[in-house]
Amino acid sequence: MKKSTKIYSWAWAVALVIIIGLVVWPSHHELARDPKKVGAIVNLRLPDIANYEYEDNLDRGASRWDCYSYHAFFAENISEECIAEMERRCVEDSEHWSKNEAEGYYLFTDYGGVDGLYEVGCAIYEDQAHVGYIVSEDEGIFVIAILGIYIQILLIWGFALLVIAIVQKRVMKQLKQEKLNK
């Protein structure tokens, strides 16, 4: 296999890995839409959700923010291990975790990191959780746009490699023919 073909194959492999990553990696929209994913949002093993009340603003006219809000009731109270883990996080990750002793809940907040494309607040009580999740419609759009441009470049590159291969084959055939004619 020619070096150019190997490089081209690796370039497609990179595109494939990115596509698989987009499919496998959970988006904030996916997490926010499902009230049963409270544990995934806060990265804790919480009890199963027995019931929930859910609202969203997906029927709105104009806003680039999708807002999800729900009140989830656990099938059982959270475990002592879970409480101990939230206590530890309040100490070790006070940027995202805090405790409101007066109201009796732990609060997880995340303001979207560098890109600011989401905000989440989750109050975890002994038997329930209140979640507010705001996600920009632009989430993932930059990766998808860059991936689209990247694939277009790969297609043009592949077409150029094909044209070069055809021309080389014809030139080689012509040279062989001229050699035979001499």
Side-chain angles (χ1 to χ4, degrees):
M1 186 183 284
K2 290 183 177 180
K3 186 176 180 178
S4 61
T5 308
K6 283 183 184 179
I7 294 171
Y8 182 69
S9 297
W10 278 107
W12 271 107
V14 168
L16 184 62
V17 167
I18 293 170
I19 291 168
I20 290 170
L22 286 173
V23 171
V24 174
W25 194 275
S27 73
H28 289 283
H29 277 97
E30 182 182 324
L31 286 173
R33 270 190 202 109
D34 190 351
K36 294 189 177 193
K37 292 191 176 179
V38 176
I41 292 169
V42 297
N43 194 23
L44 278 174
R45 288 187 56 89
L46 295 172
D48 291 337
I49 305 298
N51 195 9
Y52 59 86
E53 298 166 359
Y54 174 85
E55 292 181 18
D56 63 42
N57 72 337
L58 300 180
D59 61 349
R60 71 195 184 282
S63 172
R64 66 174 263 231
W65 297 96
D66 295 335
C67 300
Y68 304 88
S69 176
Y70 43 90
H71 186 160
F73 301 93
F74 300 134
E76 58 191 42
N77 287 349
I78 58 176
S79 68
E80 292 299 320
E81 294 84 21
C82 186
I83 291 171
E85 177 63 19
M86 288 188 292
E87 289 284 346
R88 183 186 68 76
R89 290 181 185 187
C90 287
V91 172
E92 294 178 7
D93 185 12
S94 60
E95 179 184 351
H96 295 106
W97 285 91
S98 62
K99 180 179 180 180
N100 185 323
E101 289 192 46
E103 300 281 328
Y105 65 84
Y106 295 87
L107 181 64
F108 170 79
T109 56
D110 188 358
Y111 296 103
V114 177
D115 53 13
L117 293 176
Y118 68 93
E119 289 183 15
V120 61
C122 181
I124 302 172
Y125 294 83
E126 188 175 295
D127 61 345
Q128 60 190 287
H130 299 267
V131 178
Y133 214 131
I134 302 169
V135 184
S136 172
E137 291 178 343
D138 294 341
E139 181 202 24
I141 196 76
F142 301 112
V143 174
I144 293 169
I146 291 169
L147 182 62
I149 292 168
Y150 183 72
I151 289 175
Q152 287 177 352
I153 290 169
L154 288 177
L155 292 172
I156 293 168
W157 184 10
F159 181 73
L161 288 175
L162 181 65
V163 169
I164 290 168
I166 291 170
V167 168
Q168 284 179 342
K169 195 171 191 174
R170 285 189 178 175
V171 167
M172 292 304 285
K173 189 176 182 179
Q174 231 176 9
L175 287 173
K176 278 185 183 179
Q177 189 64 35
E178 288 176 9
K179 212 177 202 183
L180 288 174
N181 289 340
K182 288 186 179 180

